[in-house]
């Protein structure tokens, strides 16, 4: 029996609520926010991160609500990244197949590696940001190891029950499959598709 898109998005919103509870738990144990308000270092190397269909539909809500000038700026940044990647030989298909890992190494530290939705050091889609953006900065279980931003929870990462990122990502994958989509899209390509040329 097919699941209606509205039902899927309701389940995604519940997932976001569960993620927020998990983050609140570890933040309360830690006693403060781990990231300084003026830090966006993690956004600097995320132009190729894979985004699931259910996350994409939520992102579209935020992107559609932005002023036209901001949407166009975001699209320009995404297209600039795509142009650089394709000149280097990367394609949408190759990025999807290897989860963008080779591209992540290529974009690291480069201006075109920055998330296209970061405008003036601020996330323009913050309330609708993807799952990895919601959990990064906290110790996370990524299914293979304990991962964490190098600037947070230094020397204390193993003292906390990690955020269940691998579980949350699997739920995004399942919800996306309920929508009939079985692959992820790299951020820059997704953004260029979600914001129509104007």
């Amino acid at each position: 029996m097919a699941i209606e898109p509205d039902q899927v998005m309701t389940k995604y919103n519940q997932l976001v609520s569960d993620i927020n509870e998990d983050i609140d738990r570890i933040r309360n144990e830690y006693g403060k926010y781990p990231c300084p308000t003026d830090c966006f270092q993690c956004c600097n190397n995320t132009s190729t991160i894979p985004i699931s269909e259910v996350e994409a539909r939520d992102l579209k809500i935020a992107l559609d609500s932005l002023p036209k000038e901001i949407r166009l700026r975001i699209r320009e940044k995404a297209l600039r990244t795509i142009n650089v990647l394709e000149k280097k030989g990367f394609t949408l298909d190759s990025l999807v197949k290897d989860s963008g890992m080779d591209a992540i190494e290529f974009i690291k530290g480069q201006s075109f590696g920055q998330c296209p939705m970061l405008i003036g050091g601020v996330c323009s889609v913050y309330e609708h940001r993807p799952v990895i953006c919601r959990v990064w900065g906290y110790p996370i279980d990524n299914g293979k190891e304990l991962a964490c931003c190098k600037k947070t929870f230094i020397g204390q990462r193993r003292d906390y029950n990690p955020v269940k990122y691998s579980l949350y990502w699997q739920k995004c994958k399942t919800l996306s499959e309920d929508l009939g989509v079985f692959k992820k899209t790299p951020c820059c390509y997704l953004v260029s598709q979600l914001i129509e040329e104007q």
Side-chain angles (χ1 to χ4, degrees):
M1 181 164 128
I3 301 176
E4 292 294 321
D6 287 349
Q7 292 175 303
V8 173
M9 295 314 295
T10 297
K11 288 182 178 184
Y12 177 72
N13 289 331
Q14 181 56 56
L15 175 62
V16 167
S17 179
D18 294 344
I19 292 168
N20 290 340
E21 283 183 23
D22 204 6
I23 289 168
D24 287 345
R25 169 194 57 81
I26 198 167
R27 185 186 306 128
N28 289 334
E29 289 174 19
Y30 188 55
K32 61 183 178 180
Y33 284 88
C35 305
T37 55
D38 60 347
C39 182
F40 52 86
Q41 185 173 342
C42 59
C43 307
N44 282 333
N45 301 309
T46 54
S47 63
T48 60
I49 62 165
I51 298 176
S52 67
E53 177 65 18
V54 71
E55 294 170 295
R57 291 188 185 206
D58 193 50
L59 270 177
K60 183 161 175 44
I61 295 167
L63 292 168
D64 287 350
S65 70
L66 293 172
K68 180 179 178 180
E69 312 81 60
I70 301 295
R71 287 196 311 272
L72 291 176
R73 177 71 183 117
I74 291 169
R75 189 168 196 277
E76 284 171 13
K77 286 180 71 177
L79 291 174
R80 181 177 66 138
T81 300
I82 291 167
N83 288 337
V84 172
L85 288 170
E86 290 184 351
K87 281 181 184 169
K88 185 69 175 171
F90 292 102
T91 64
L92 174 57
D93 286 340
S94 70
L95 291 177
V96 169
K97 282 178 188 165
D98 78 351
S99 296
M101 296 312 292
D102 289 341
I104 287 170
E105 288 304 312
F106 173 63
I107 66 167
K108 223 178 241 184
Q110 304 296 324
S111 61
F112 56 83
Q114 187 180 84
C115 176
M117 294 171 285
L118 186 73
I119 303 294
V122 176
C123 177
S124 61
V125 294
Y126 188 78
E127 292 302 321
H128 297 269
R129 67 200 184 280
V131 170
I132 188 61
C133 304
R134 293 176 181 278
V135 302
W136 193 248
Y138 297 90
I140 65 171
D141 172 4
N142 68 12
K144 296 178 183 172
E145 62 187 356
L146 177 69
C148 191
C149 171
K150 289 184 169 63
K151 297 171 81 175
T152 60
F153 291 88
I154 298 167
Q156 302 174 48
R157 293 167 188 166
R158 301 202 179 277
D159 297 343
Y160 298 90
N161 187 16
V163 174
K164 302 171 277 196
Y165 173 69
S166 61
L167 172 68
Y168 300 140
W169 177 251
Q170 183 57 49
K171 287 185 177 184
C172 283
K173 183 179 173 199
T174 300
L175 290 171
S176 296
E177 289 170 359
D178 289 342
L179 292 166
V181 179
F182 297 85
K183 67 178 185 178
K184 315 165 278 226
T185 307
C187 179
C188 55
Y189 282 93
L190 176 67
V191 168
S192 70
Q193 294 164 10
L194 292 178
I195 302 174
E196 293 181 8
E197 192 166 8
Q198 311 206 359

